Amino acid sequence: MLNQDDPKSRPMLELREKLQPEVIELIKQQRLNRLCEGTCFRKISARRRQDKFWYCRLSPNHKVLHYGDIEEFSQGQISHDSLQEKVTVADIKAVVTGKDCPHMKEKGALKNKELLELSFSILHNSDEYLNFIAPDKHEYCIWTDGLNALLGKEMTSELTKSDTDTLVTMELKLRLLDLENIQIPDVPPPVPKEPSTYDFVYDFSQQHT
């Protein structure tokens, strides 16, 4: 029977699979919206761990990343006009993370596990990089997901996996609310045979007086 207590039954698994593309598209749009809002990132120097900040946000048409240095940490949005630098999304070649980032190959950086888990870089043009250190793991997932979505790649973060499972489960429960106490077989019923005659079908081509 199809019920919430049997998530591994064939109908439940098929329904989850059917719902996933719709849910993933919803998550993708949420990630892109967050990139449009922007995030304040920290810069790491050899002498001081946190001394400068910069802001990055995606344009509303999803075609340009605007960024620039700011005087102090900001939790509010910074206008596009205040951000003097930009990278065209069409010029982005790849997104790399962790130890593959150029700024994590500096002396001592690889020993800092916290920084490795929050670092990602954008390779653009021929061999130029825009390097990020996310303020926390949540923002790291938001940005790496969003950038991969912009490049037409799969969103693979732990946050996306968790959000997908949560949203699919919620949608399943909503759809099952109307099916309580209704017995549904594990396999679909057989297709009935065609009728021997179709005389019962009204023929609109015939004119009656």
Side-chain angles (χ1 to χ4, degrees), residues 77-121:
Q77 291 187 20
I78 304 295
S79 67
H80 293 98
D81 296 337
S82 302
L83 304 173
Q84 302 300 318
E85 306 293 335
K86 64 181 180 180
V87 172
T88 303
V89 172
D91 291 334
I92 298 177
K93 307 302 180 184
V95 177
V96 296
T97 60
K99 63 182 180 180
D100 294 325
C101 298
H103 57 316
M104 288 295 104
K105 295 179 180 180
E106 299 174 3
K107 185 178 179 181
L110 290 175
K111 296 180 180 179
N112 193 324
K113 184 178 179 181
E114 178 188 358
L115 291 185
L116 280 174
E117 292 179 348
L118 298 177
S119 300
F120 58 99
S121 300

Side-chain angles (χ1 to χ4, degrees), residues 124-188:
H124 60 98
N125 294 323
S126 55
D127 57 353
E128 297 181 41
Y129 283 90
L130 183 61
N131 300 317
F132 298 75
I133 297 176
D136 52 50
K137 191 66 176 179
H138 183 270
E139 286 296 309
Y140 170 86
C141 292
I142 292 290
W143 274 84
T144 52
D145 280 343
L147 291 170
N148 279 322
L150 284 174
L151 298 179
K153 296 183 178 181
E154 185 180 358
M155 300 180 294
T156 59
S157 76
E158 296 174 3
L159 183 62
T160 287
K161 294 176 183 177
S162 175
D163 286 351
T164 301
D165 185 64
T166 299
L167 292 174
V168 168
T169 299
M170 289 176 60
E171 184 65 22
L172 276 173
K173 289 182 177 180
L174 287 173
R175 297 197 179 196
L176 290 173
L177 284 177
D178 294 333
L179 298 178
E180 290 186 2
N181 301 320
I182 298 178
Q183 295 184 351
I184 298 179
D186 291 332
V187 295

Side-chain angles (χ1 to χ4, degrees), residues 187-199:
V187 295
V191 178
K193 295 180 179 180
E194 294 187 10
S196 57
T197 175
Y198 287 90
D199 290 342

Side-chain angles (χ1 to χ4, degrees), residues 18-49:
K18 183 179 180 181
L19 291 173
Q20 274 201 348
E22 179 182 335
V23 167
I24 290 175
E25 181 61 26
L26 179 66
I27 294 173
K28 173 185 174 182
Q29 294 305 317
Q30 187 273 340
R31 300 292 192 263
L32 294 177
N33 288 340
R34 279 289 293 109
L35 265 61
C36 289
E37 294 174 7
T39 300
C40 181
F41 297 94
R42 55 179 171 164
K43 286 187 173 182
I44 303 297
S45 66
R47 295 180 180 181
R48 297 176 59 188
R49 192 167 185 272

